[in-house]
Amino acid sequence: MKTSTIISAAIMLAASTVSASNDPRECEVCMKVMQEVRDGMDKADQKDKPKIEKALGEFCKRDTLSARERKICYYIDPIKRDVAHPFSLGMPVDRLCKRINKSNSEICSVKFPVKTEKLEKKDLSKLRVKQLKSILLDRGVECKGCVEKEEFIQKVQDTEHLAGQDEF
C-alpha cells in the first residue's frame, strides 16, 4: 500500500514538472534575443567567446529594442561570460535559455504580451482567467471586484486602447 502511494506521488510530481516545462511561451523573449544575436554573427565568430560577449553587448545597445528585450539584456549583462560558453558550443537557443535560467530564474519569466486587438469575445472566453489577469497586468490595470471570468473578459475589452503600450 505504501509503495503504491509513493509511486503514484512520484508519477504525479513528474507529470507536473513535464507539463510546466511544455509552455510554448516559456523563455520566448530570451530565445528571440539569442537567435537574433546568433543570426547577426559570422559562423566562425560563433565559436569565439569574447566575440560572443561583444555581440551580446552590441545587441543590447540598440535603440530599437522593445521593453521586454531590454529586460532580458539587463538580466544577461552580468552573466555574459556564462552565456558565451554554451553559445560557443552551438547549443540550441531554447536549451541555452533554459540553462541560463538556472542562474537567474527571471529570464524565462519574461514573455511577450498576448495579442488581443483582433480577438472577439468568443476568442477571449477560450483564455484562462490567469491569462486574462496577465493581459490586464501587462496593461497596468487592476480589476477590483472581478470574480467571474466574464468580468475579466469585459475589463480586457474595455482596456483595449492600452494594448499597444510596451513599457515597464
Side-chain angles (χ1 to χ4, degrees):
M1 181 68 173
K2 289 182 181 180
T3 57
S4 65
T5 306
I6 292 171
I7 291 172
S8 65
I11 290 172
M12 290 177 63
L13 179 64
S16 68
T17 57
V18 168
S19 66
S21 65
N22 286 342
D23 182 11
R25 295 185 60 208
E26 183 181 32
C27 299
E28 66 181 346
V29 181
C30 175
M31 289 190 295
K32 179 182 182 285
V33 167
M34 291 299 158
Q35 190 61 52
E36 285 186 18
V37 170
R38 183 169 280 162
D39 292 344
M41 295 179 69
D42 293 333
K43 192 78 168 166
D45 291 343
Q46 292 180 11
K47 304 258 187 245
D48 188 12
K49 292 177 193 175
K51 289 184 180 178
I52 294 169
E53 291 176 32
K54 183 179 177 190
L56 282 167
E58 289 173 0
F59 177 84
C60 290
K61 288 180 185 174
R62 292 184 189 171
D63 292 335
T64 58
L65 296 178
S66 71
R68 285 162 174 78
E69 291 169 330
R70 286 192 308 269
K71 193 170 194 177
I72 288 294
C73 286
Y74 174 78
Y75 291 141
I76 289 176
D77 189 50
I79 57 171
K80 273 192 231 179
R81 191 153 291 173
D82 297 335
V83 173
H85 179 70
F87 195 103
S88 68
L89 298 175
M91 186 177 282
V93 292
D94 59 335
R95 290 189 49 214
L96 174 67
C97 289
K98 287 178 182 169
R99 175 171 289 179
I100 62 176
N101 188 51
K102 291 176 185 173
S103 62
N104 186 348
S105 61
E106 297 287 320
I107 289 174
C108 283
S109 67
V110 180
K111 295 178 170 68
F112 287 114
V114 178
K115 304 287 186 211
T116 59
E117 60 264 1
K118 294 183 181 174
L119 289 179
E120 296 178 12
K121 187 172 181 175
K122 65 181 180 179
D123 297 326
L124 288 172
S125 65
K126 293 177 184 175
L127 297 176
R128 294 174 180 244
V129 172
K130 183 176 182 178
Q131 292 169 312
L132 295 169
K133 286 181 181 179
S134 173
I135 292 169
L136 293 172
L137 182 66
D138 285 343
R139 295 178 182 174
V141 176
E142 189 175 337
C143 192
K144 290 186 178 182
C146 294
V147 178
E148 298 294 324
K149 184 175 183 177
E150 289 298 319
E151 295 168 333
F152 285 103
I153 292 171
Q154 186 61 44
K155 192 70 165 182
V156 167
Q157 289 176 327
D158 291 345
T159 59
E160 187 64 43
H161 65 283
L162 301 173
Q165 298 175 352
D166 191 20
E167 295 298 323
F168 284 112

